[in-house]
C-alpha cells in the first residue's frame, strides 16, 4: 500500500501531530469550562444604590440595595434592578469572551461559536429572560 517507508513515516507523524493537537484542544476546553463556571458578573446602578451579581449562567445570585432605595418608588427600583442585572450580564459576557479568547485563541472557530452561544444565552438586551416573566 505504501510506496516507501518514508511516506509511511510521514503519515504516522501527521497522525501523531493531529492527535497531539486534539489532546491540547481538549485540555484547553476543560480548563476553559472550569474557569468559566467560576466567573460572576457584577454591576452597580448609576446612582450606586443597587448592586447585582450574576453567576456564570447569568442568574441573579446577589442583590444589594442601599437604604436610599426606600426613597424611590417600587417601580423605579424595579427598573433599576432590571437594568443593573442586564449590566451584570454584560460584565459576565465580557469576562467569558476574554477567558474564551485567552484559552482557545482569537482565530479559532470554536472561540467565535462559544462567544456567540454565551451572547445568545445571556441576551443582555431589553429582552432578557427576567424581563419576559
Amino acid at each position: 500500500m505504501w510506496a516507501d517507508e518514508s511516506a509511511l513515516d510521514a503519515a504516522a507523524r501527521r497522525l501523531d501531530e493531529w492527535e497531539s493537537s486534539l489532546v491540547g484542544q481538549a485540555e484547553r476546553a476543560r480548563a476553559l469550562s472550569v474557569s468559566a463556571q467560576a466567573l460572576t458578573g457584577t454591576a452597580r446602578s448609576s446612582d450606586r444604590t443597587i448592586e447585582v451579581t450574576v453567576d456564570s449562567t447569568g442568574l441573579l445570585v446577589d442583590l444589594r440595595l442601599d437604604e436610599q432605595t426606600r426613597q424611590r418608588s417600587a417601580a423605579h427600583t424595579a427598573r433599576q434592578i432590571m437594568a443593573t442585572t442586564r449590566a451584570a450580564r454584560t460584565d459576565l459576557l465580557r469576562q467569558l469572551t476574554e477567558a474564551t479568547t485567552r484559552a482557545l485563541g482569537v482565530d479559532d472557530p470554536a472561540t467565535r461559536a462559544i462567544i456567540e452561544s454565551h451572547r445568545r444565552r445571556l441576551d443582555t438586551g431589553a429582552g432578557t429572560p427576567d424581563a419576559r416573566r
Side-chain angles (χ1 to χ4, degrees):
M1 179 171 172
W2 296 97
D4 58 37
E5 287 295 313
S6 64
L8 181 59
D9 289 342
R13 277 193 305 277
R14 283 194 300 272
L15 284 173
D16 288 344
E17 290 169 1
W18 184 54
E19 179 184 19
S20 178
S21 172
L22 290 176
V23 168
Q25 286 178 331
E27 289 170 356
R28 288 190 301 276
R30 273 191 297 277
L32 173 60
S33 178
V34 168
S35 67
Q37 289 177 5
L39 293 177
T40 61
T42 301
R44 294 189 99 180
S45 61
S46 58
D47 64 3
R48 320 251 329 137
T49 59
I50 297 171
E51 181 178 277
V52 169
T53 300
V54 295
D55 68 9
S56 63
T57 66
L59 295 176
L60 184 71
V61 292
D62 193 26
L63 172 64
R64 296 175 188 261
L65 304 175
D66 186 277
E67 288 299 320
Q68 292 177 8
T69 58
R70 292 176 182 233
Q71 299 168 4
R72 306 273 166 74
S73 71
H76 174 80
T77 300
R79 282 191 303 273
Q80 279 194 306
I81 290 170
M82 294 304 299
T84 307
T85 300
R86 285 189 297 276
R89 287 182 177 144
T90 298
D91 178 54
L92 174 63
L93 180 59
R94 177 191 56 77
Q95 292 179 62
L96 287 166
T97 298
E98 289 173 1
T100 303
T101 302
R102 200 171 35 252
L104 303 180
V106 71
D107 295 327
D108 190 323
T111 299
R112 290 187 295 276
I114 291 168
I115 291 169
E116 183 56 31
S117 173
H118 289 309
R119 185 174 286 119
R120 280 192 312 273
R121 181 177 49 82
L122 293 171
D123 186 19
T124 58
T128 59
D130 290 338
R132 289 190 287 265
R133 288 190 188 142

